[in-house]
Amino acid sequence: MTYMRYNPTMHGLQHSKFLLLALLLIQLLLSTQLVAQRSKSPWQTLTGDAPRIIARGGFSGLLPDSSLDAYSFVGQTSVPDAVLWCDLQLTKEAIGICFPDVKMMNASNIQEVYPKRTNSYLLNGVPTQDWFTIDFSLKDLKSVFLIRGILSRSNAFDGNSYTISTVQDIATQLKPQSFWLNVQHDAFYAQHNLSISSFLLSVSKTVTVNYLSSPEVDFFRNIGSRFERKGPKFVFRFLEKDDVEVSTNQTYGSLAGNLTFIKTFASGILVPKSYIWPVESQYLLPHTSVVQDAHKAGLEVYASGFANDFDIAYNYSFDPLAEYLSFVDNGDFSVDGLLSDFPLTASSAVDCFSHLGTNASTQVDFLVISKNGASGDYPGCTDLAYSKAIKDGADVIDCSLQMSSDGIPFCLSSIDLGESTNVVQSPYRNRSATVPELKSFPGIYSFSLAWSEIQTLRPAIENPYNKDFNLFRNPRERSSGKLVSLSDFLNLAKNSSTLVGVLISVENASYLREKQGLDSVKAALDSLTEAGYSNKATTRRVMIQSTNSSVLVDFKKQSRYETVYKVEEAIRDILDSAIEDIKKFADAIVITKTSVFPSTASFTTGQTNLVERLQKLKLPVYVDVFQNEFVSQPYDFFSDATVEINSHVTGAGIDGAITEFPLTAARYKRNTCLTRKDPPPYMIPVQPGGLLTIVSPASLPPAEAPNPVFTDADVIEPPLPPVTARAPTTTTGPQTTGEKAPNGQTRVTLSLLLSAFATLLASLLLM
């Protein structure tokens, strides 16, 4: 019998094939387990687990990046397993610190402490002058303090003397459940005889590092085999697509097309959010397949670049929560983690608002009342704004009633057509008038044009924050939609199966009656009757709102509709006698946000007891006006419209929110965290005035005079005057007259002075 001779080469080859087959079988088994786990989970992440929340430099959207307070604040506001992100830098003696960049000028006061210690180095091949961490010892840096790294953020915490922390400081003092170290410039440190790898191997003996990221392939190649199997997850960080990765000399865009190569040294990828949802002209394009492709390759996907106070895609309507949801709950995929400067919002998106579905039940009872429809998305008071408000879940849509010269009531945000239409660019631009009772400068008023003329105007979206903050609302739709008459508005609402009711705001009624011969009260009542709202069988609520008690008294005399009294000015309190006066003609009251949470220098200073007092005397309280733009909110609400709504509804207990973005408020009503016995920290109302307690004394805003107390004298008005018959005239607009009002001002002055009007036109065009 002949036996096969033993062949070492053949035996080694067979052994290698066996190992490869075993690895493939193990990977297949793991993939099968992951698929089974994902099939039972609502999350479309790689593992089926909820996406991780990663706090970049702590809560760096509010407090200086990488400060102990910023890291500590994460634990007070976010999910319990939030990951603390540290941008790892090395000092002169190779001590690891957490600091946003190897360059130090932008996020510290180092130029004040060491004004002459700048240096110039090649950084990613570019000569760069700055203060670099490698030129300072840890002892040197003890006198350097952290400040805001993004100048558009508040400087109120820059004077808090936040020191630079070592990696060990963060680990031992805060004991994070998960710790992420990001190595941005390994090659740069190596060029200066400093080894990131050596530091990591040393520190890992005493500090648990759960994630390790870098944009350099060679970093992972060099360190991969030096960590044990229980070491950190390796995450390859992609930079912008046109940037070149130094190890391979390939662009990151090219590497994104070769994820199987990335899988050879990493278990996940960290990509800018534009890799997933590309943006063009600040509008979203269809999402890419990068998340699905990475998951097929066995890679987790973490998305970066999230911050509530950045100018996000118009599609999100300035709502950061909507942006997070598009990455974790879109029906096609979910990223495995979100790297954010505002981990509170990311936490609530994942834990409270994901997978609600369209039929999620309401968890909290309050009215969502539109402000000129969904006027944050479309020109206010147009068919599109109202249709979107209904679609977005508004309970009540509103009409700011105006009157045309021929007595047709219609909806528009202002009696001055120039504020929300293109009238200053129309053939009617010469109908400008100065009406001191309405405004101190010229305008083109609704009663100067017939309804047929008004219908030819294009509506214009209002941009309340374009001049000071360069924030614009939905430019593609800035002139979309058509203006609607009150009759059209009422019929639109009547045909909706979801609306609770309508609100009609009536202002300037006295002037219109006395000076223009127009009766807006009668026009509203007639339109309601014609549309069938006066029928006792209808269940639709009708609310009439005005800042004038005389208007509401008149409606009370002639109808049974609900009346709502609006207090325009910010107040700190209201006399009981004034409340009793209001109750004689009003069923509810509208107050401003600052009447609930007074503020100074964009910080809340406390909370009034107005809501409680008004409700105790049986007056429901609605608050005006909620907007999504982060600049509309005090810093206490973390640049998150949902936090602001929650603090007013759950904290102050208001009965309704008047909003230009109904979707945000309507979605809040359905969030699942509201029903929990112990709500999570990101769904607890903010502590009014809380942030002021940690503002450095030198940065405290000066004390302001308190808001006034609302008294009987503010409520009581003479009754509406009778309607004055209009004298026949050949011109449509108000006529020049020398008649003087009791205060000595001319009642109506026709202004055709082109120089004055040109100034107004210029200001409007800049809006």
Side-chain angles (χ1 to χ4, degrees), residues 554-602:
D554 213 35
F555 272 99
K556 275 291 186 186
K557 289 178 180 178
Q558 303 184 60
S559 72
R560 295 185 178 181
Y561 301 130
E562 295 179 49
T563 48
V564 181
Y565 185 54
K566 181 177 180 179
V567 180
E568 285 185 300
E569 60 265 47
I571 58 175
R572 74 174 186 272
D573 203 353
I574 184 169
L575 297 182
D576 286 343
S577 55
I579 298 177
E580 292 300 328
D581 286 336
I582 293 170
K583 288 180 63 180
K584 294 174 183 176
F585 59 82
D587 303 302
I589 190 168
V590 173
I591 59 176
T592 65
K593 292 189 299 184
T594 49
S595 295
V596 182
F597 295 109
S599 63
T600 181
S602 294

Side-chain angles (χ1 to χ4, degrees), residues 52-122:
R52 299 304 298 268
I53 308 303
I54 307 146
R56 191 188 71 83
F59 206 125
S60 56
L62 178 70
L63 298 164
D65 190 319
S66 305
S67 63
L68 278 174
D69 273 6
Y71 284 122
S72 178
F73 202 50
V74 175
Q76 302 172 42
T77 57
S78 309
V79 290
D81 62 349
V83 183
L84 297 190
W85 165 287
C86 164
D87 283 298
L88 174 62
Q89 314 300 340
L90 294 183
T91 64
K92 180 190 293 186
E93 67 269 59
I95 294 175
I97 59 173
C98 294
F99 192 82
D101 195 7
V102 67
K103 300 175 293 181
M104 301 192 70
M105 181 179 71
N106 196 42
S108 77
N109 69 338
I110 195 164
Q111 58 184 327
E112 298 174 9
V113 182
Y114 301 109
K116 298 181 179 180
R117 291 183 62 176
T118 59
N119 216 329
S120 183
Y121 296 110
L122 279 177

Side-chain angles (χ1 to χ4, degrees), residues 416-419 421-426 428-430 432 441-444 467 753-767:
D416 183 355
L417 297 172
E419 292 189 8
T421 75
N422 72 328
V423 70
V424 295
Q425 299 163 313
S426 77
Y428 314 115
R429 58 184 175 273
N430 63 342
S432 170
F441 50 84
I444 303 176
K467 292 181 181 177
L753 297 175
L754 295 181
S755 59
F757 189 67
T759 303
L760 174 63
L761 174 60
S763 66
L764 290 170
L765 291 176
L766 288 172
M767 292 179 67

Side-chain angles (χ1 to χ4, degrees), residues 18 60 113 202 213 246 259 272 289 390 423 427-428 456 478 581 732:
F18 175 78
S60 56
V113 182
S202 174
S213 62
V246 294
L259 295 176
S289 62
I390 295 171
V423 70
Y428 314 115
T456 67
R478 61 182 177 271
D581 286 336
T732 310

Side-chain angles (χ1 to χ4, degrees), residues 491-563:
N491 287 326
L492 175 67
K494 193 174 181 180
N495 291 330
S496 166
S497 60
T498 59
L499 284 178
V500 172
V502 295
L503 181 148
I504 301 172
S505 177
V506 180
E507 300 295 341
N508 307 306
S510 180
Y511 169 80
L512 289 172
R513 280 188 173 191
E514 188 175 8
K515 299 301 176 184
Q516 297 299 322
L518 297 169
D519 191 347
S520 54
V521 173
K522 183 178 185 300
L525 290 171
D526 288 348
S527 296
L528 285 163
T529 300
E530 291 168 6
Y533 283 79
S534 61
N535 188 333
K536 293 182 179 179
T538 184
T539 57
R540 191 87 41 154
R541 292 173 64 178
V542 175
M543 306 161 75
I544 307 295
Q545 174 187 289
S546 183
T547 58
N548 297 117
S549 60
S550 56
V551 170
L552 301 182
V553 168
D554 213 35
F555 272 99
K556 275 291 186 186
K557 289 178 180 178
Q558 303 184 60
S559 72
R560 295 185 178 181
Y561 301 130
E562 295 179 49
T563 48

Side-chain angles (χ1 to χ4, degrees), residues 334-624:
S334 172
V335 298
D336 301 273
L338 300 159
L339 178 60
S340 174
D341 292 10
F342 291 81
L344 177 148
T345 305
S347 296
S348 66
V350 169
D351 191 31
C352 304
F353 291 95
S354 292
H355 311 124
L356 291 180
T358 56
N359 298 317
S361 58
T362 296
Q363 308 295 337
V364 61
D365 185 25
F366 74 101
L367 286 179
V368 176
I369 306 169
S370 77
K371 179 78 167 184
N372 303 317
S375 55
D377 295 303
Y378 291 99
C381 299
T382 59
D383 56 337
L384 294 180
Y386 288 129
S387 296
K388 189 171 194 303
I390 295 171
K391 179 184 177 182
D392 288 348
D395 299 306
V396 177
I397 59 173
D398 70 304
C399 170
S400 297
L401 188 146
Q402 312 300 338
M403 298 292 292
S404 65
S405 63
D406 50 348
I408 303 299
F410 67 99
C411 305
L412 198 66
S413 61
S414 171
I415 194 171
D416 183 355
L417 297 172
E419 292 189 8
S420 51
T421 75
N422 72 328
V423 70
V424 295
Q425 299 163 313
S426 77
Y428 314 115
R429 58 184 175 273
N430 63 342
R431 298 192 190 175
S432 170
T434 298
V435 184
E437 294 92 336
L438 302 178
K439 282 185 176 181
S440 60
F441 50 84
I444 303 176
Y445 294 98
S446 66
F447 49 78
S448 299
L449 277 73
W451 173 236
S452 60
E453 294 173 322
I454 292 170
Q455 287 179 295
T456 67
L457 301 177
R458 289 200 316 271
I461 200 166
E462 294 186 44
N463 291 295
Y465 302 107
N466 67 318
K467 292 181 181 177
D468 293 333
F469 302 99
N470 203 34
L471 294 178
F472 291 87
R473 293 175 171 178
N474 199 5
R476 284 183 182 172
E477 307 292 344
R478 61 182 177 271
S479 298
S480 298
K482 63 179 183 180
L483 301 177
V484 297
S485 66
L486 178 57
S487 175
D488 292 336
F489 167 82
L490 293 173
N491 287 326
L492 175 67
K494 193 174 181 180
N495 291 330
S496 166
S497 60
T498 59
L499 284 178
V500 172
V502 295
L503 181 148
I504 301 172
S505 177
V506 180
E507 300 295 341
N508 307 306
S510 180
Y511 169 80
L512 289 172
R513 280 188 173 191
E514 188 175 8
K515 299 301 176 184
Q516 297 299 322
L518 297 169
D519 191 347
S520 54
V521 173
K522 183 178 185 300
L525 290 171
D526 288 348
S527 296
L528 285 163
T529 300
E530 291 168 6
Y533 283 79
S534 61
N535 188 333
K536 293 182 179 179
T538 184
T539 57
R540 191 87 41 154
R541 292 173 64 178
V542 175
M543 306 161 75
I544 307 295
Q545 174 187 289
S546 183
T547 58
N548 297 117
S549 60
S550 56
V551 170
L552 301 182
V553 168
D554 213 35
F555 272 99
K556 275 291 186 186
K557 289 178 180 178
Q558 303 184 60
S559 72
R560 295 185 178 181
Y561 301 130
E562 295 179 49
T563 48
V564 181
Y565 185 54
K566 181 177 180 179
V567 180
E568 285 185 300
E569 60 265 47
I571 58 175
R572 74 174 186 272
D573 203 353
I574 184 169
L575 297 182
D576 286 343
S577 55
I579 298 177
E580 292 300 328
D581 286 336
I582 293 170
K583 288 180 63 180
K584 294 174 183 176
F585 59 82
D587 303 302
I589 190 168
V590 173
I591 59 176
T592 65
K593 292 189 299 184
T594 49
S595 295
V596 182
F597 295 109
S599 63
T600 181
S602 294
F603 289 96
T604 63
T605 57
Q607 179 179 340
T608 69
N609 65 347
L610 266 177
V611 175
E612 181 183 358
R613 292 193 60 238
L614 290 164
Q615 290 174 339
K616 190 175 291 184
L617 292 173
K618 310 301 182 184
L619 275 177
V621 180
Y622 310 136
V623 172
D624 181 70

